[in-house]
Amino acid sequence: MAKVQLVLNAGSSSLKFQVFVDDGADVPNRLYRGLFEGLGTDPHFKVKDHEGAVVGEERWPHDTAYGFEEALAYLSDWLAAHRGGHQLAAVGHRVVHGGPNYTHAVRLTPEIIAELDTLSPLAPLHQPRSLEPIRIIARRVPGLPQVAAFDTAFHRTQPEIAQAFAIPQSLTDAGVKRYGFHGLSYAYLATQFPHVDERLVHGKVVAAHLGSGASLGAYAASKSIATTMGFSALDGLVMGTRCGTIDAGVVFYLQRELGMSAPEAEHFLYTKCGLLGVSGISNDMRELREKAEAEPSAQRAIDLFVYRINREFGSLVAALGGIDALVFTAGIGENDAATRAEVIEAARWAGFELDPEANRSGATRITRGSGPQAYVIPTDEEWTIVREMRAVLAESRQDAGQI
Ligand code: ADP
C-alpha cells in the first residue's frame, strides 16, 4: 500500500497542511495542499490537488469550539476518503521555537514534547499552539512517527555576537538572546539559490520574507549570519498587526501610564499594531494598496513598512560587509510589485537598479545593470519540513539497525 506523509503548519487561527507521497524522492511529490481558516470563529476548509484544482471545500456555521481537535478529525476522515488506499506514514510539524539547542529537526518522543513545552515562556502565544496538534495526534495514533522542524533552527549558524543582547551573561545563559524566526522559509530559499543564480549560493544575500509576519535574513554563502527577528517574533520589521522593533521604554509606558498588564501589553503589540495599527484600516496589504489614494493613513502604513525595511536592510548589509543580492518572498514579497519597487528604489544607495517591466511581469530577476540584483522566489515552508522529516526518519532507521 502506497504511503503518504502529512505536514502541518499550525497558526493562531489556521492549520495549513500538505500531503506528500512517501517515495523518498529528492524533490517531494505533493498530492494535496490545503488549510483550515477561522478556527475558533468561522471554520472553513479548502484543499487543492497538485495541479491547483480545488478538490474539497467545507464551511461550518459560527462555532467557537471548532479547533485543532475537530480539524484534525475532519482531515483524517477526508484523507481516508480521498487518498485511495494510501497509508499515513509520518507527520511533520512546524514548531516555532527550538530554543538554543535544536539546530535540526527532531523525531518527537513524549520526553522531547515535554522539553519543547519548557520553551513556551519564550514564545507564549505561539509555542503552545505549535505543540497542540502534536499532542492530539500522539493521543489519537500513538505509534505514528512525528517530527518537529523549527523556525529558529536555521539561524543557529549565526556568530554568537549576532545572537546576543547587551545584558548580563547570566541572562544570556538563561536563554534571553536573539533566536530569529522564519527559518523554514529561509532554509527553503537557500535550496533554490542554485536554480536561480549561482552567485546567490556563495554570495552575500538578504532575503525579505514579507507576509503577515515579516523579517529580513542575511546569508553569507547560504548560511544565516543575522536576522531582524530576535528573542520573539515581535522584533524587526513592521508586520500585519505586530509593531516590529520598538524602544523597550514604550512597553514600560504602556504598563505604567496606560495601566496595561504585561499580557495586555503583549497582546496589544502583537495584534493591534503594525499595518493595522498605523492605518486604522487593515492588516492586509491588498486592502491598503486599494485605499492608499483615498486614505492617507493607509499610505502612511505602507510608507512606514517600506522605510523600516530599508533601515533594517542597511543594518544587515553592514553585518554582511556588502551585498550581492536581495530576494523577495511570502505573500507581499511574491505578489505586491509596488512594495518590491519601493524597496528597491529605497535601496539605490546599495547599487540596485529596478527593472520595472520585469518586476511587473512576474520575472524571477527584477533588477538590471551591473550592481547587485534582486529576485523573487516563492517560498514553501512545508517543503522544508518534509525534507527535514525524511532526513530525520532515515537517520532513526539507520540508528535502529545498529547494535
Ligand atoms: P502568512 O502566511 O504569514 O499568513 P502570507 O505570506 O500569506 O502570510 O502574506 C499575507 C500578506 O500578503 C497580506 O498582507 C496580504 O495582503 C499580502 N498579499 C497577498 N497577495 C497579495 C497581492 N496580490 N498583492 C498584495 N499583497 C498581497
Side-chain angles (χ1 to χ4, degrees):
M1 191 186 281
K3 292 183 174 174
V4 295
Q5 295 174 322
L6 173 67
V7 169
L8 295 176
N9 181 346
S12 53
S13 64
S14 69
L15 181 65
K16 294 182 189 163
F17 64 89
Q18 294 195 25
V19 181
F20 297 89
V21 181
D22 182 15
D23 55 4
D26 196 39
V27 177
N29 186 352
R30 180 170 39 233
L31 289 174
Y32 302 113
R33 159 188 244 156
L35 85 169
F36 292 84
E37 281 181 301
L39 296 177
T41 49
D42 299 290
H44 175 208
F45 165 79
K46 193 169 182 176
V47 55
K48 296 178 178 175
D49 68 10
H50 65 287
E51 285 169 333
V54 177
V55 290
E57 191 160 14
E58 182 75 56
R59 278 183 186 281
W60 291 268
H62 184 78
D63 182 356
T64 50
Y66 199 101
F68 287 150
E69 182 89 45
E70 292 73 15
L72 286 169
Y74 183 86
L75 180 60
S76 170
D77 290 346
W78 191 90
L79 285 172
H82 287 83
R83 52 177 204 249
H86 289 63
Q87 184 194 347
L88 188 56
V91 186
H93 299 264
R94 176 187 185 186
V95 172
V96 164
H97 223 302
N101 299 329
Y102 286 102
T103 55
H104 294 98
V106 63
R107 183 163 175 173
L108 291 160
T109 61
E111 294 74 29
I112 291 176
I113 297 171
E115 192 187 334
L116 294 176
D117 203 14
T118 66
L119 299 172
S120 291
L122 298 178
L125 302 183
H126 296 102
Q127 189 77 345
R129 289 295 277 175
S130 297
L131 299 180
E132 215 182 307
I134 294 172
R135 290 204 169 102
I136 292 168
I137 292 171
R139 187 168 23 88
R140 287 174 61 101
V141 200
L144 188 64
Q146 297 200 80
V147 170
F150 302 101
D151 253 331
T152 48
F154 186 71
H155 298 299
R156 300 283 65 74
T157 53
Q158 290 180 8
E160 190 274 326
I161 202 160
Q163 302 186 46
F165 291 117
I167 53 175
Q169 188 62 36
S170 55
L171 260 182
T172 307
D173 294 343
V176 182
K177 54 203 273 187
R178 300 179 58 89
Y179 290 97
F181 298 89
H182 289 145
L184 297 167
S185 174
Y186 291 122
Y188 174 78
L189 297 178
T191 66
Q192 299 307 298
F193 288 173
H195 310 302
V196 171
D197 189 330
E198 196 60 30
R199 279 172 298 183
L200 292 170
V201 178
H202 308 289
K204 295 169 177 171
V205 178
V206 170
H209 178 109
L210 307 178
S212 305
S215 68
L216 302 181
Y219 306 77
S222 300
K223 298 262 186 297
S224 172
I225 64 117
T227 186
T228 57
M229 278 183 172
F231 178 67
S232 71
L234 201 54
D235 204 4
L237 304 182
V238 172
M239 303 181 221
T241 61
R242 293 174 235 164
C243 58
T245 296
I246 198 160
D247 181 340
V250 175
V251 185
F252 306 137
Y253 178 89
L254 295 176
Q255 297 185 340
R256 195 182 56 236
E257 302 300 325
L258 304 190
M260 289 188 191
S261 65
E264 282 167 349
E266 185 170 40
H267 184 75
F268 173 77
L269 294 173
Y270 267 99
T271 66
K272 306 279 186 230
C273 296
L275 295 174
L276 174 67
V278 177
S279 68
I281 295 172
S282 173
N283 62 346
D284 190 308
M285 184 56 91
R286 273 168 298 201
E287 196 177 340
L288 294 178
R289 288 278 172 205
E290 275 162 27
K291 297 191 170 155
E293 220 162 288
E295 303 275 359
S297 68
Q299 185 60 53
R300 199 177 125 66
I302 296 170
D303 291 346
L304 191 52
F305 184 74
V306 172
Y307 174 81
R308 290 286 327 154
I309 291 172
N310 190 40
R311 285 274 300 265
E312 296 283 348
F313 175 68
S315 97
L316 293 188
V317 174
L320 282 164
I323 185 77
D324 297 311
L326 171 60
V327 174
F328 291 93
T329 199
I332 299 170
E334 291 167 28
N335 298 301
D336 191 13
T339 293
R340 292 195 301 262
E342 288 162 19
V343 169
I344 292 170
E345 286 298 336
R348 283 177 81 92
W349 62 269
F352 288 88
E353 189 190 334
L354 180 70
D355 181 339
E357 185 42 41
N359 185 40
R360 272 193 301 270
S361 65
T364 300
R365 195 175 94 183
I366 57 173
T367 45
R368 58 192 173 197
S370 56
Q373 303 296 323
Y375 303 86
V376 181
I377 306 179
T379 195
D380 193 340
E381 290 159 332
E382 288 79 10
W383 199 89
T384 306
I385 299 170
V386 76
R387 297 227 319 173
E388 292 193 2
M389 168 161 71
R390 286 177 183 183
V392 166
L393 293 177
E395 222 170 78
S396 62
R397 271 196 292 274
Q398 269 174 11
D399 289 349
Q402 283 169 357
I403 311 171

Short mmCIF file of all heavy atoms in Angstrom, two decimals, residues 161-206:
data_model
loop_
_atom_site.label_atom_id
_atom_site.label_comp_id
_atom_site.label_asym_id
_atom_site.label_seq_id
_atom_site.Cartn_x
_atom_site.Cartn_y
_atom_site.Cartn_z
N ILE A 161 27.91 36.73 18.57
CA ILE A 161 27.67 38.17 18.84
C ILE A 161 26.38 38.65 18.18
O ILE A 161 25.69 39.54 18.68
CB ILE A 161 28.89 39.00 18.39
CG1 ILE A 161 28.90 40.34 19.13
CG2 ILE A 161 28.95 39.21 16.88
CD1 ILE A 161 30.25 41.02 19.13
N ALA A 162 26.01 38.00 17.05
CA ALA A 162 24.77 38.39 16.37
C ALA A 162 23.54 37.92 17.15
O ALA A 162 22.43 38.40 16.93
CB ALA A 162 24.74 37.81 14.96
N GLN A 163 23.74 36.96 18.05
CA GLN A 163 22.61 36.40 18.80
C GLN A 163 22.50 37.03 20.19
O GLN A 163 21.62 36.66 20.96
CB GLN A 163 22.79 34.88 18.96
CG GLN A 163 22.90 34.15 17.63
CD GLN A 163 22.93 32.65 17.81
OE1 GLN A 163 22.13 32.10 18.55
NE2 GLN A 163 23.84 31.97 17.12
N ALA A 164 23.42 37.95 20.51
CA ALA A 164 23.50 38.45 21.89
C ALA A 164 22.79 39.79 22.07
O ALA A 164 22.77 40.63 21.17
CB ALA A 164 24.97 38.60 22.28
N PHE A 165 22.20 39.97 23.25
CA PHE A 165 21.77 41.30 23.69
C PHE A 165 22.83 41.84 24.65
O PHE A 165 23.59 41.06 25.24
CB PHE A 165 20.44 41.22 24.47
CG PHE A 165 19.25 40.84 23.62
CD1 PHE A 165 18.57 39.66 23.87
CD2 PHE A 165 18.80 41.68 22.62
CE1 PHE A 165 17.45 39.32 23.11
CE2 PHE A 165 17.68 41.34 21.86
CZ PHE A 165 17.01 40.15 22.11
N ALA A 166 22.85 43.17 24.85
CA ALA A 166 23.81 43.74 25.79
C ALA A 166 23.23 43.67 27.20
O ALA A 166 22.78 44.66 27.78
CB ALA A 166 24.11 45.19 25.40
N ILE A 167 23.20 42.45 27.72
CA ILE A 167 22.65 42.20 29.07
C ILE A 167 23.64 41.30 29.81
O ILE A 167 24.52 40.71 29.17
CB ILE A 167 21.27 41.51 29.00
CG1 ILE A 167 21.35 40.24 28.11
CG2 ILE A 167 20.21 42.46 28.46
CD1 ILE A 167 20.09 39.43 28.05
N PRO A 168 23.51 41.17 31.12
CA PRO A 168 24.45 40.31 31.85
C PRO A 168 24.45 38.87 31.31
O PRO A 168 23.40 38.34 30.90
CB PRO A 168 23.93 40.36 33.29
CG PRO A 168 23.22 41.66 33.38
CD PRO A 168 22.60 41.88 32.02
N GLN A 169 25.62 38.27 31.34
CA GLN A 169 25.81 36.94 30.77
C GLN A 169 24.85 35.90 31.38
O GLN A 169 24.40 34.99 30.71
CB GLN A 169 27.27 36.50 30.98
CG GLN A 169 27.65 35.20 30.26
CD GLN A 169 27.52 35.32 28.74
OE1 GLN A 169 27.80 36.37 28.16
NE2 GLN A 169 27.07 34.25 28.09
N SER A 170 24.55 36.09 32.68
CA SER A 170 23.68 35.09 33.34
C SER A 170 22.32 35.04 32.65
O SER A 170 21.72 33.96 32.50
CB SER A 170 23.50 35.44 34.82
OG SER A 170 23.00 36.75 34.94
N LEU A 171 21.82 36.21 32.19
CA LEU A 171 20.53 36.24 31.49
C LEU A 171 20.66 35.61 30.10
O LEU A 171 19.76 34.89 29.65
CB LEU A 171 20.06 37.68 31.34
CG LEU A 171 19.01 38.19 32.32
CD1 LEU A 171 18.65 39.62 31.97
CD2 LEU A 171 17.76 37.31 32.29
N THR A 172 21.77 35.90 29.43
CA THR A 172 22.01 35.28 28.12
C THR A 172 22.03 33.75 28.29
O THR A 172 21.40 33.02 27.53
CB THR A 172 23.36 35.76 27.53
OG1 THR A 172 23.36 37.18 27.55
CG2 THR A 172 23.55 35.26 26.11
N ASP A 173 22.74 33.30 29.31
CA ASP A 173 22.83 31.85 29.57
C ASP A 173 21.47 31.25 29.89
O ASP A 173 21.21 30.09 29.62
CB ASP A 173 23.80 31.56 30.73
CG ASP A 173 25.23 31.93 30.36
OD1 ASP A 173 25.51 32.10 29.15
OD2 ASP A 173 26.06 32.07 31.28
N ALA A 174 20.58 32.08 30.45
CA ALA A 174 19.23 31.59 30.76
C ALA A 174 18.34 31.57 29.52
O ALA A 174 17.17 31.20 29.60
CB ALA A 174 18.61 32.46 31.85
N GLY A 175 18.88 32.00 28.38
CA GLY A 175 18.12 31.86 27.13
C GLY A 175 17.59 33.16 26.56
O GLY A 175 16.86 33.14 25.56
N VAL A 176 17.94 34.31 27.20
CA VAL A 176 17.46 35.59 26.68
C VAL A 176 18.45 36.05 25.60
O VAL A 176 19.47 36.69 25.88
CB VAL A 176 17.32 36.64 27.80
CG1 VAL A 176 16.77 37.94 27.23
CG2 VAL A 176 16.39 36.10 28.89
N LYS A 177 18.16 35.67 24.37
CA LYS A 177 19.04 36.00 23.25
C LYS A 177 18.22 36.13 21.98
O LYS A 177 17.01 35.86 21.99
CB LYS A 177 20.13 34.94 23.11
CG LYS A 177 19.59 33.52 23.00
CD LYS A 177 20.65 32.51 23.41
CE LYS A 177 21.50 32.15 22.22
NZ LYS A 177 22.42 31.05 22.52
N ARG A 178 18.90 36.49 20.91
CA ARG A 178 18.20 36.62 19.63
C ARG A 178 18.15 35.26 18.95
O ARG A 178 19.19 34.71 18.60
CB ARG A 178 18.93 37.62 18.73
CG ARG A 178 19.03 39.02 19.32
CD ARG A 178 19.79 39.93 18.37
NE ARG A 178 19.12 39.94 17.08
CZ ARG A 178 18.15 40.79 16.75
NH1 ARG A 178 17.78 41.72 17.60
NH2 ARG A 178 17.56 40.73 15.59
N TYR A 179 16.96 34.71 18.77
CA TYR A 179 16.82 33.40 18.13
C TYR A 179 16.57 33.53 16.62
O TYR A 179 17.13 32.80 15.83
CB TYR A 179 15.66 32.62 18.77
CG TYR A 179 15.98 32.20 20.17
CD1 TYR A 179 15.55 32.94 21.27
CD2 TYR A 179 16.74 31.06 20.41
CE1 TYR A 179 15.86 32.57 22.56
CE2 TYR A 179 17.07 30.68 21.70
CZ TYR A 179 16.62 31.43 22.76
OH TYR A 179 16.94 31.06 24.04
N GLY A 180 15.73 34.49 16.25
CA GLY A 180 15.35 34.61 14.84
C GLY A 180 14.27 33.59 14.49
O GLY A 180 14.16 32.54 15.13
N PHE A 181 13.44 33.94 13.50
CA PHE A 181 12.33 33.06 13.09
C PHE A 181 12.25 33.02 11.57
O PHE A 181 13.15 33.51 10.90
CB PHE A 181 11.01 33.54 13.73
CG PHE A 181 11.08 33.48 15.24
CD1 PHE A 181 11.56 34.57 15.97
CD2 PHE A 181 10.73 32.33 15.91
CE1 PHE A 181 11.66 34.50 17.36
CE2 PHE A 181 10.83 32.26 17.31
CZ PHE A 181 11.30 33.35 18.01
N HIS A 182 11.18 32.44 11.03
CA HIS A 182 11.00 32.25 9.58
C HIS A 182 12.12 31.38 9.00
O HIS A 182 12.39 31.42 7.80
CB HIS A 182 10.95 33.59 8.82
CG HIS A 182 9.70 34.37 9.07
ND1 HIS A 182 9.68 35.75 9.14
CD2 HIS A 182 8.43 33.98 9.25
CE1 HIS A 182 8.45 36.16 9.38
NE2 HIS A 182 7.67 35.10 9.45
N GLY A 183 12.79 30.60 9.86
CA GLY A 183 13.94 29.81 9.39
C GLY A 183 13.57 28.75 8.37
O GLY A 183 14.37 28.41 7.50
N LEU A 184 12.34 28.21 8.45
CA LEU A 184 11.94 27.17 7.47
C LEU A 184 11.82 27.80 6.09
O LEU A 184 12.11 27.16 5.08
CB LEU A 184 10.63 26.51 7.90
CG LEU A 184 10.72 25.76 9.24
CD1 LEU A 184 9.33 25.42 9.77
CD2 LEU A 184 11.57 24.50 9.09
N SER A 185 11.40 29.06 6.05
CA SER A 185 11.31 29.77 4.79
C SER A 185 12.72 30.11 4.27
O SER A 185 13.04 29.88 3.10
CB SER A 185 10.49 31.06 4.98
OG SER A 185 10.49 31.83 3.81
N TYR A 186 13.58 30.63 5.15
CA TYR A 186 14.95 30.96 4.70
C TYR A 186 15.69 29.71 4.23
O TYR A 186 16.46 29.76 3.27
CB TYR A 186 15.73 31.66 5.83
CG TYR A 186 15.20 33.04 6.14
CD1 TYR A 186 14.76 33.39 7.40
CD2 TYR A 186 15.16 34.01 5.14
CE1 TYR A 186 14.26 34.65 7.68
CE2 TYR A 186 14.66 35.29 5.40
CZ TYR A 186 14.22 35.60 6.66
OH TYR A 186 13.73 36.86 6.92
N ALA A 187 15.46 28.59 4.93
CA ALA A 187 16.13 27.33 4.52
C ALA A 187 15.65 26.92 3.14
O ALA A 187 16.44 26.48 2.29
CB ALA A 187 15.84 26.24 5.54
N TYR A 188 14.34 27.06 2.88
CA TYR A 188 13.81 26.70 1.56
C TYR A 188 14.46 27.57 0.48
O TYR A 188 14.90 27.07 -0.56
CB TYR A 188 12.28 26.87 1.51
CG TYR A 188 11.76 26.64 0.12
CD1 TYR A 188 11.61 25.35 -0.36
CD2 TYR A 188 11.48 27.71 -0.73
CE1 TYR A 188 11.19 25.13 -1.66
CE2 TYR A 188 11.05 27.49 -2.02
CZ TYR A 188 10.90 26.21 -2.49
OH TYR A 188 10.50 25.99 -3.78
N LEU A 189 14.51 28.88 0.72
CA LEU A 189 15.08 29.79 -0.29
C LEU A 189 16.52 29.37 -0.63
O LEU A 189 16.91 29.35 -1.80
CB LEU A 189 15.07 31.24 0.20
CG LEU A 189 13.68 31.85 0.45
CD1 LEU A 189 13.83 33.27 0.98
CD2 LEU A 189 12.84 31.85 -0.82
N ALA A 190 17.29 29.01 0.42
CA ALA A 190 18.68 28.61 0.18
C ALA A 190 18.76 27.39 -0.75
O ALA A 190 19.67 27.29 -1.57
CB ALA A 190 19.39 28.33 1.50
N THR A 191 17.77 26.48 -0.63
CA THR A 191 17.80 25.31 -1.53
C THR A 191 17.51 25.72 -2.98
O THR A 191 17.86 24.99 -3.90
CB THR A 191 16.76 24.23 -1.14
OG1 THR A 191 15.43 24.75 -1.33
CG2 THR A 191 16.94 23.76 0.30
N GLN A 192 16.88 26.88 -3.16
CA GLN A 192 16.54 27.32 -4.52
C GLN A 192 17.64 28.19 -5.15
O GLN A 192 17.63 28.41 -6.35
CB GLN A 192 15.21 28.10 -4.50
CG GLN A 192 14.03 27.27 -4.00
CD GLN A 192 13.89 25.95 -4.75
OE1 GLN A 192 13.68 25.94 -5.96
NE2 GLN A 192 14.06 24.84 -4.04
N PHE A 193 18.56 28.68 -4.33
CA PHE A 193 19.60 29.57 -4.86
C PHE A 193 20.32 28.97 -6.08
O PHE A 193 20.51 29.66 -7.08
CB PHE A 193 20.63 29.94 -3.77
CG PHE A 193 20.13 30.89 -2.72
CD1 PHE A 193 20.92 31.17 -1.60
CD2 PHE A 193 18.89 31.52 -2.83
CE1 PHE A 193 20.47 32.05 -0.62
CE2 PHE A 193 18.44 32.39 -1.85
CZ PHE A 193 19.23 32.65 -0.74
N PRO A 194 20.74 27.68 -6.01
CA PRO A 194 21.49 27.14 -7.16
C PRO A 194 20.68 27.16 -8.45
O PRO A 194 21.24 27.26 -9.54
CB PRO A 194 21.80 25.70 -6.76
CG PRO A 194 21.56 25.62 -5.30
CD PRO A 194 20.58 26.69 -4.95
N HIS A 195 19.34 27.05 -8.34
CA HIS A 195 18.50 27.03 -9.54
C HIS A 195 18.26 28.43 -10.09
O HIS A 195 17.86 28.60 -11.23
CB HIS A 195 17.14 26.39 -9.25
CG HIS A 195 17.26 25.06 -8.57
ND1 HIS A 195 17.95 24.01 -9.11
CD2 HIS A 195 16.80 24.62 -7.36
CE1 HIS A 195 17.91 22.98 -8.29
NE2 HIS A 195 17.22 23.33 -7.21
N VAL A 196 18.45 29.46 -9.24
CA VAL A 196 18.14 30.83 -9.64
C VAL A 196 19.39 31.53 -10.18
O VAL A 196 19.38 32.10 -11.27
CB VAL A 196 17.55 31.61 -8.44
CG1 VAL A 196 17.41 33.09 -8.76
CG2 VAL A 196 16.20 31.01 -8.06
N ASP A 197 20.46 31.51 -9.41
CA ASP A 197 21.71 32.17 -9.84
C ASP A 197 22.84 31.66 -8.95
O ASP A 197 22.76 31.80 -7.71
CB ASP A 197 21.56 33.69 -9.70
CG ASP A 197 22.72 34.45 -10.34
OD1 ASP A 197 23.85 33.89 -10.37
OD2 ASP A 197 22.50 35.58 -10.79
N GLU A 198 23.84 31.10 -9.55
CA GLU A 198 24.97 30.51 -8.79
C GLU A 198 25.58 31.54 -7.83
O GLU A 198 26.08 31.17 -6.77
CB GLU A 198 26.01 29.99 -9.79
CG GLU A 198 27.04 29.04 -9.22
CD GLU A 198 26.44 27.76 -8.61
OE1 GLU A 198 25.35 27.31 -9.08
OE2 GLU A 198 27.05 27.25 -7.67
N ARG A 199 25.51 32.84 -8.19
CA ARG A 199 26.12 33.86 -7.33
C ARG A 199 25.43 33.94 -5.96
O ARG A 199 26.03 34.34 -4.97
CB ARG A 199 26.07 35.24 -8.01
CG ARG A 199 27.19 35.43 -9.01
CD ARG A 199 26.97 36.71 -9.78
NE ARG A 199 25.72 36.67 -10.53
CZ ARG A 199 25.30 37.63 -11.34
NH1 ARG A 199 26.01 38.72 -11.48
NH2 ARG A 199 24.17 37.51 -12.01
N LEU A 200 24.14 33.55 -5.92
CA LEU A 200 23.43 33.56 -4.64
C LEU A 200 24.03 32.53 -3.68
O LEU A 200 24.07 32.75 -2.47
CB LEU A 200 21.95 33.23 -4.84
CG LEU A 200 21.10 34.24 -5.59
CD1 LEU A 200 19.74 33.64 -5.93
CD2 LEU A 200 20.91 35.48 -4.76
N VAL A 201 24.47 31.40 -4.22
CA VAL A 201 24.93 30.29 -3.39
C VAL A 201 26.14 30.71 -2.55
O VAL A 201 26.23 30.39 -1.36
CB VAL A 201 25.30 29.07 -4.26
CG1 VAL A 201 25.83 27.93 -3.41
CG2 VAL A 201 24.10 28.63 -5.10
N HIS A 202 27.05 31.45 -3.15
CA HIS A 202 28.29 31.79 -2.47
C HIS A 202 28.33 33.23 -1.99
O HIS A 202 29.28 33.64 -1.32
CB HIS A 202 29.48 31.54 -3.40
CG HIS A 202 29.47 30.16 -3.98
ND1 HIS A 202 29.73 29.04 -3.21
CD2 HIS A 202 29.17 29.70 -5.22
CE1 HIS A 202 29.60 27.96 -3.96
NE2 HIS A 202 29.26 28.33 -5.18
N GLY A 203 27.30 34.02 -2.33
CA GLY A 203 27.38 35.46 -2.13
C GLY A 203 26.81 35.96 -0.81
O GLY A 203 26.47 35.20 0.10
N LYS A 204 26.72 37.31 -0.74
CA LYS A 204 26.11 38.00 0.40
C LYS A 204 24.69 38.37 -0.01
O LYS A 204 24.49 39.19 -0.90
CB LYS A 204 26.93 39.26 0.72
CG LYS A 204 28.34 38.92 1.18
CD LYS A 204 29.21 40.15 1.25
CE LYS A 204 30.58 39.74 1.80
NZ LYS A 204 31.58 40.81 1.72
N VAL A 205 23.74 37.75 0.67
CA VAL A 205 22.34 37.84 0.23
C VAL A 205 21.46 38.28 1.41
O VAL A 205 21.66 37.80 2.53
CB VAL A 205 21.84 36.46 -0.29
CG1 VAL A 205 20.38 36.52 -0.69
CG2 VAL A 205 22.71 35.97 -1.43
N VAL A 206 20.51 39.17 1.15
CA VAL A 206 19.46 39.44 2.13
C VAL A 206 18.14 38.96 1.54
O VAL A 206 17.82 39.29 0.39
CB VAL A 206 19.37 40.94 2.49
CG1 VAL A 206 18.11 41.24 3.31
CG2 VAL A 206 20.61 41.38 3.27
#
